[in-house]
Amino acid sequence: MQRTQNSPLVDATPATSGSPYPLIVFAAGFNVDPSNYLPLISGWVHSGYVVAAPRFPLSSAWAISHYGVNLSDLKLSDAFESDMLNQPGDMQAAIAEVTLLNQNPSVPLNGLVNTNDIAAAGQSDGGDTALAFADNSCCRDPAVKAAIVLSGAEFPPYRGQYFPSPAIPLMVAQGTADTVNPPQLSAQIYAQAPAPKLYLQLLGADHLVAYTEVDPYEQAVLKTSLAFLATYLRDAPTSVTQLGTVGNIAGVASESADLS
């Protein structure tokens, strides 16, 4: 099926073939809503994952509009953005809610989610959130088995220790033309994280395009993330050999990996 940016179908009958499905908990960036990432999220869903993408109560685009926040008022804007310190707890609450739905015989999601196989993902401030939720002693949830950080960074106000043992698999993606989250911030994550890990460099991509548009960058992110998830959530027997090179796409992306 060709993917588009059309709105998802509300109350659609869920697929059941191959269930239960692994769960991805996704964190959106500041002043962005989960719906903006529909191209990437729909790619994961079409490939057999359940995606829970909470709309954060203060940092989302909905909240900024609802509360009339003037982003040029830096003090007020920073106050709303700083709620990201609470967002690992929001991700944990999303997992708890999906778990309840999965156990409820009266809802369509009943029995369709494998809550033993969970990945955390996020972009920008949401990438910072996902990294803290998956791999910082301040907020780490042991249920998370893998993490995908898209144009994110280590955020010192979380205060905990990054990458405590045991190590979990990590994928980092970053646009080389990103002026919001400079590439060195993602490079720092990759450099400091233990293996297994991979770094997807998106050649010429800015801060959002690779995650919110159906284009070659987004296709590279989707293709690489699906190989990563297949390896570390689905234990696919042949994907490890492909994982170290799947992100090398001429003119679009290059990949570095340490899968030892």
Side-chain angles (χ1 to χ4, degrees), residues 48-252:
Y49 295 87
V50 172
V51 180
R55 187 173 68 185
F56 295 126
L58 291 182
S59 69
S60 65
W62 173 89
I64 298 301
S65 174
H66 178 75
Y67 293 108
V69 177
N70 181 353
L71 295 178
S72 63
D73 182 341
L74 296 183
K75 184 176 180 180
L76 181 61
S77 175
D78 287 349
F80 274 73
E81 187 173 13
S82 67
D83 190 55
M84 65 186 289
L85 291 174
N86 298 314
Q87 289 175 182
D90 295 330
M91 296 185 79
Q92 193 167 48
I95 292 174
E97 181 66 19
V98 171
T99 299
L100 288 175
L101 294 172
N102 193 50
Q103 297 170 347
N104 187 341
S106 65
V107 301
L109 200 62
N110 176 240
L112 296 183
V113 187
N114 183 350
T115 53
N116 292 317
D117 289 334
I118 300 174
Q123 191 269 333
S124 192
D125 280 5
D128 302 3
T129 300
L131 182 63
F133 183 57
D135 235 345
N136 186 309
S137 59
C138 72
C139 330
R140 189 180 211 184
D141 189 324
V144 175
K145 290 188 173 181
I148 299 174
V149 178
L150 309 173
S151 301
E154 298 175 20
F155 189 54
Y158 281 121
R159 296 186 179 275
Q161 175 191 350
Y162 280 100
F163 313 116
S165 59
I168 68 167
L170 175 67
M171 172 180 165
V172 179
Q174 173 69 45
T176 61
D178 187 344
T179 58
V180 177
N181 189 82
Q184 61 264 30
L185 297 180
S186 286
Q188 175 181 314
I189 295 172
Y190 180 75
Q192 295 182 354
K197 59 184 178 179
L198 69 85
Y199 186 96
L200 184 67
Q201 183 173 236
L202 302 164
L203 307 176
D206 65 16
H207 189 57
L208 272 174
V209 66
Y211 320 114
T212 59
E213 304 286 340
V214 177
D215 64 11
Y217 294 127
E218 183 269 345
Q219 292 169 14
V221 174
L222 179 61
K223 181 180 180 181
T224 306
S225 65
L226 287 175
F228 173 80
L229 292 166
T231 303
Y232 297 113
L233 283 192
R234 294 189 182 275
D235 298 322
T238 61
S239 62
V240 173
T241 57
Q242 302 166 356
L243 186 56
T245 58
V246 67
N248 292 323
I249 302 171
V252 176

